[in-house]
Amino acid sequence: MDIPTLHLRAERERLLAAISAADAVVPTTSTKPILTHLLLEAKDGRLEVTASDQQVGLRAVVSGIEVTQAGSVIVAARQLAMILKESSSPTAELEAVKAGDSAQLAIRLADGDYNLPLIIGETLPPVSFFPNEVKSVSIAGKRFEHMLRQTSFAMDKDRSSPVLSGLLVSLSAGELVLAATDGKVLAEAIEKDAAIASPEGDVFQVVLPYGTVQHLSRIMSSGQPDRVQLAFASKLVFVRLRLSGDLTVDMTSRLVEGSFPAYRMAISGTASSAVTFDTPVLASAVRRVALMISAANRAVVLELSRDKAVLSNLPGAGGNARIPLACQYSGNPVRLGINAAYMSDVLRVFGGERLGIELGRGLIMREANATYLVMPISLPS
């Protein structure tokens, strides 16, 4: 049996950043145990860390590594990530060593040493490289991460439809749009930049899978990239994240087949009336009323009259709440049912101090470069 080779030294934090990024796509459990592992490949002063769950592949490349012996090993992802995370050692040394008829990865840290078994004779699914030969779209990492937060909460969490469970990415001349809806809540975020172009046709649209969006969100929450590049080829999306510390993360994912619903009609047009609230005050009131609702009935009741609002819940075993709120409203008295979770999601990402709600077929809320829609819930008469 050939024993794999690898011996490197690096700053622990630099090593952890690459391994944590790859670990974001590793499943907790799998019918194929190899998928819960990482491929580490060291050569020429850099380390490539590769992971795959068969739908999403990721390659994290970090430079500034002291490679004593080039080579590659396959090791358990979660164990390696947690060992490095829990350590306070400034540096880390990794070496493939023989252990009887098998091999282990020796991990040497200033505050402890560890040995993890290595996988020999199996390979991870191949991960495609970022296609530099095709057109790509580049956007500031901070803005892209914000757009993900503004929209991803509206994806269908019940996974009833691959399309509604996913995130729409739409590209046209000078505009990038992210949008999500489960039919009850809708969110759209827009970035306008003259450098943005459609890779083909006037408008180019694809749907990212639910899991891919979750992986992206986890990676970006742990380390915000300077830039994000998107490229599309052969029914795949390629995402390149340029993070600090000479770390580049490339993610590859299949796209969802199917057409995203034409949602724009639902958020266009003129509303019959509108109401304006202080955003933090409304968010607090929704959270407090939500303490009294049950899983069977998520409705918060909003009653409006001239410049007055009351939030309450439907009578039930969990208790009752009635919270008066100041507002600006001049329309006819109205009583609406609102899903508390959906409304809280919108209020969590809404950036303005004042929130205007347009009342029509649904509740429409707008801020600069983003629009949200929450459909009302039927209330008992």
Side-chain angles (χ1 to χ4, degrees):
M1 178 184 295
D2 292 333
I3 300 300
T5 61
L6 181 138
H7 190 186
L8 63 86
R9 293 181 182 85
E11 294 177 10
R12 182 186 58 83
E13 290 287 352
R14 185 183 294 246
L15 194 61
L16 177 60
I19 288 169
S20 295
D23 184 50
V25 309
V26 174
T28 304
T29 59
S30 175
T31 54
K32 296 184 176 181
I34 188 71
L35 299 181
T36 64
H37 289 65
L38 299 175
L39 170 64
L40 310 184
E41 297 178 276
K43 62 179 179 180
D44 301 328
R46 70 180 204 163
L47 174 69
E48 291 188 11
V49 185
T50 305
S52 174
D53 67 359
Q54 293 192 302
Q55 175 175 279
V56 179
L58 187 144
R59 179 182 288 104
V61 182
V62 61
S63 57
I65 305 295
E66 180 187 339
V67 180
T68 304
Q69 186 172 23
S72 62
V73 298
I74 296 177
V75 64
R78 208 61 32 92
Q79 284 179 291
L80 178 57
M82 290 305 298
I83 287 170
L84 294 174
K85 182 179 179 180
E86 293 299 327
S87 173
S88 59
S89 175
T91 60
E93 180 180 1
L94 307 183
E95 183 180 10
V97 296
K98 187 175 181 180
D101 294 332
S102 61
Q104 295 179 340
L105 182 67
I107 306 164
R108 303 181 186 111
L109 301 159
D111 50 9
D113 297 332
Y114 308 83
N115 286 76
L116 295 179
L118 296 176
I119 299 290
I120 301 175
E122 293 188 65
T123 58
L124 280 167
V127 175
S128 301
F129 286 88
F130 191 91
N132 294 310
E133 70 281 0
V134 304
K135 292 181 181 179
S136 65
V137 174
S138 179
I139 181 173
K142 183 177 181 180
R143 176 61 182 143
F144 188 76
E145 190 270 339
H146 188 211
M147 292 176 73
L148 277 182
R149 286 193 289 107
Q150 288 178 307
T151 54
S152 59
F153 71 86
M155 297 187 301
D156 181 10
K157 299 176 181 64
D158 294 332
R159 315 287 287 275
S160 57
S161 160
V163 171
L164 294 184
S165 297
L167 182 74
L168 172 72
V169 178
S170 178
L171 292 164
S172 57
E175 185 177 88
L176 165 67
V177 177
L178 301 185
T181 182
D182 65 359
K184 300 170 185 174
V185 62
L186 186 155
E188 177 193 68
I190 300 174
E191 174 68 6
K192 294 185 180 294
D193 186 331
I196 295 173
S198 169
E200 57 183 68
D202 294 333
V203 179
F204 178 78
Q205 294 189 340
V206 295
V207 179
L208 305 186
Y210 182 92
T212 300
V213 177
Q214 298 303 306
H215 294 330
L216 265 177
S217 297
R218 279 196 293 273
I219 294 170
M220 298 186 74
S221 65
S222 61
Q224 193 173 90
D226 297 326
R227 303 292 299 178
V228 175
Q229 281 180 269
L230 302 173
F232 305 90
S234 304
K235 297 183 179 180
L236 297 173
V237 60
F238 301 84
V239 185
R240 170 164 286 177
L241 310 174
R242 298 189 182 278
L243 297 136
S244 59
D246 300 321
L247 174 62
T248 298
V249 175
D250 288 348
M251 178 183 287
T252 306
S253 169
R254 296 191 184 101
L255 295 168
V256 176
E257 295 186 10
S259 299
F260 200 79
Y263 65 89
R264 280 276 173 88
M265 286 293 292
I267 55 176
S268 61
T270 304
S272 57
S273 59
V275 58
T276 302
F277 292 96
D278 180 276
T279 307
V281 172
L282 177 61
S284 174
V286 171
R287 290 195 298 269
R288 285 180 282 152
V289 173
L291 295 173
M292 303 298 175
I293 64 179
S294 65
N297 192 333
R298 303 290 299 173
V300 166
V301 181
L302 173 63
E303 297 177 86
L304 294 172
S305 57
R306 182 171 294 272
D307 292 338
K308 292 181 180 179
V310 174
L311 274 180
S312 61
N313 64 299
L314 294 173
N320 298 315
R322 184 181 185 278
I323 301 174
L325 291 168
C327 67
Q328 292 179 331
Y329 180 70
S330 58
N332 295 323
V334 66
R335 183 172 180 263
L336 298 167
I338 307 170
N339 184 295
Y342 291 150
M343 196 66 187
S344 291
D345 284 338
V346 172
L347 291 166
R348 194 174 295 116
V349 299
F350 190 84
E353 288 297 314
R354 299 286 289 172
L355 173 71
I357 303 177
E358 301 168 23
L359 304 176
R361 287 188 58 244
L363 288 77
I364 299 175
M365 293 144 280
R366 306 181 195 272
E367 61 177 322
N369 299 321
T371 303
Y372 313 97
L373 168 69
V374 175
M375 295 301 293
I377 297 174
S378 297
L379 295 173
S381 55

